[in-house]
Amino acid sequence: MTAADFPYAYENKRYHTLSYENKKRGYKLYKAVVDAGFTCPNIDGSRGRGGCIFCSGGSGYFTAPPEISVQNQINAELARLRRKDKSARAIAYFQAHTNTYASPTQLQFLYEQALACEGIAGLSIATRPDTLPDAVLDLLSELARRTALTVELGLQTIHEATAVRINRCYPLGVFEHAFHALKGRGIRVCVHLINGLPGETPEMMLQSAAYLGQLKPDAVKLQMLHIIRGTAMEPLFTSGQYRPMSLEEYVQLVCCQLELLPPEIVIERLTGDGDKKTLLAPLWTTDKLRVLGSIDQTLARWNSWQGRCVSAPEACIRDFCRAARCAGDA
């Protein structure tokens, strides 16, 4: 197979790119990140305290202060984007903390502010699966009928022992209930996985990907665990109790994860952005082009593509963990 044969991508990719999906709209689509001032049930004590052990500011590294209104944040983001692309349109990305953790009335007020902004073509709402009561699901369902809506669920791992270790504060069953409730209402769902969580082996990370391959969300985001200054991960790293994955280990793992995901699933992210001012490790994640280029090169060298192993995930995982396929790639 050549990259040209893969039906869900262009620019020599062997996985289903978000760019390919957006191109079907007929215009380029960006994301305007928003911090609407939410907190998290894993911070305020309703589920736990301190947040997940990797959490620092709810992932809102690139957002404006929440004291600024949603409309003003979006207008500033669009002005920034339009310095490069005068016709830029964007999805309003509610990113920081848990963006369904409020009353339906308050949520609707904030979401409608975003949708009222000229140049906004939809919403992407990052949240936890334990903050989606029926009233909020009904609101999201109504929004999905009139705009492009994605709900992003932070799963990170399917393994309960890891979930306890990272202080996630909800079991897999809660995620499954929320996922099916969203899909049952016709809402597009993107699921997040984090590679390199403490105590996880490559086999465990591949099992999480294989699980999503069977579940078939609309989209998936993959990223490496970032060690951020001031989080609970910092002392584990500085004391030598935790070793991040190398670039080579991560690239090989992601390529195998892609093999386990059906080609119809949109891959919205393969590497994450950490705040360079507070990122302790792994520093190779700051070179996004190198990471993405290495993934492209490895898939080409393996003559592989997204979905290659969907019909036999156990064999794919076994072969990878025995280093049958990646010997010499490191």
Side-chain angles (χ1 to χ4, degrees), residues 273-294:
D273 295 302
D275 185 349
K276 293 181 181 179
K277 293 178 289 188
T278 58
L279 179 67
L280 295 174
L283 296 179
W284 54 260
T285 60
T286 63
D287 191 348
K288 181 181 286 189
L289 290 178
R290 181 186 179 199
V291 178
L292 295 177
S294 297

Side-chain angles (χ1 to χ4, degrees), residues 36-57:
F38 293 102
T39 182
C40 175
N42 197 11
I43 291 176
D44 69 7
S46 65
R47 295 285 188 276
R49 293 197 180 277
C52 296
I53 63 172
F54 48 78
C55 180
S56 175

Side-chain angles (χ1 to χ4, degrees), residues 158-298:
I158 65 168
H159 299 286
E160 302 291 8
T162 308
V164 172
R165 191 176 296 118
I166 66 175
N167 196 40
R168 191 178 69 185
C169 292
Y170 70 80
L172 183 61
V174 169
F175 165 82
E176 292 175 339
H177 176 79
F179 177 86
H180 291 299
L182 289 163
K183 293 304 299 174
R185 287 168 168 81
I187 296 169
R188 184 178 187 270
V189 179
C190 177
V191 181
H192 295 213
L193 291 182
I194 295 180
N195 290 319
L197 292 170
E200 289 222 340
T201 63
E203 182 177 14
M204 294 169 72
M205 294 176 244
L206 293 173
Q207 288 167 347
S208 290
Y211 167 87
L212 291 187
Q214 298 300 310
L215 196 64
K216 297 181 181 178
D218 301 279
V220 168
K221 286 185 175 182
L222 303 173
Q223 75 169 74
M224 176 62 196
L225 176 64
H226 290 134
I227 313 302
I228 303 296
R229 188 174 291 109
T231 66
M233 280 301 304
E234 179 180 1
L236 293 178
F237 171 68
T238 56
S239 67
Q241 298 177 67
Y242 173 81
R243 181 188 73 84
M245 299 174 73
S246 69
L247 171 61
E248 292 77 13
E249 291 170 329
Y250 181 78
V251 166
Q252 292 167 13
L253 179 81
V254 165
C255 289
C256 192
Q257 287 177 319
L258 289 171
E259 292 178 323
L260 295 166
L261 296 171
E264 296 81 11
I265 294 176
V266 180
I267 306 302
E268 293 203 2
R269 181 172 68 200
L270 287 177
T271 183
D273 295 302
D275 185 349
K276 293 181 181 179
K277 293 178 289 188
T278 58
L279 179 67
L280 295 174
L283 296 179
W284 54 260
T285 60
T286 63
D287 191 348
K288 181 181 286 189
L289 290 178
R290 181 186 179 199
V291 178
L292 295 177
S294 297
I295 290 169
D296 291 340
Q297 291 163 16
T298 299

Side-chain angles (χ1 to χ4, degrees), residues 76-133:
E77 276 282 270
L78 286 168
R80 178 184 64 83
L81 293 168
R82 285 171 176 172
R83 285 195 288 269
K84 297 181 179 179
D85 180 351
K86 292 182 179 180
S87 62
R89 302 183 68 183
I91 294 289
Y93 183 19
F94 286 79
Q95 180 188 31
H97 290 297
T98 304
N99 293 275
T100 58
Y101 191 40
S103 70
T105 301
Q106 176 68 3
L107 293 174
Q108 184 165 20
F109 172 75
L110 293 167
Y111 301 155
E112 296 289 358
Q113 275 195 61
L115 289 173
C117 294
E118 182 276 326
I120 290 299
L123 301 174
S124 188
I125 299 170
T127 194
R128 288 169 57 93
D130 54 359
T131 61
L132 290 166

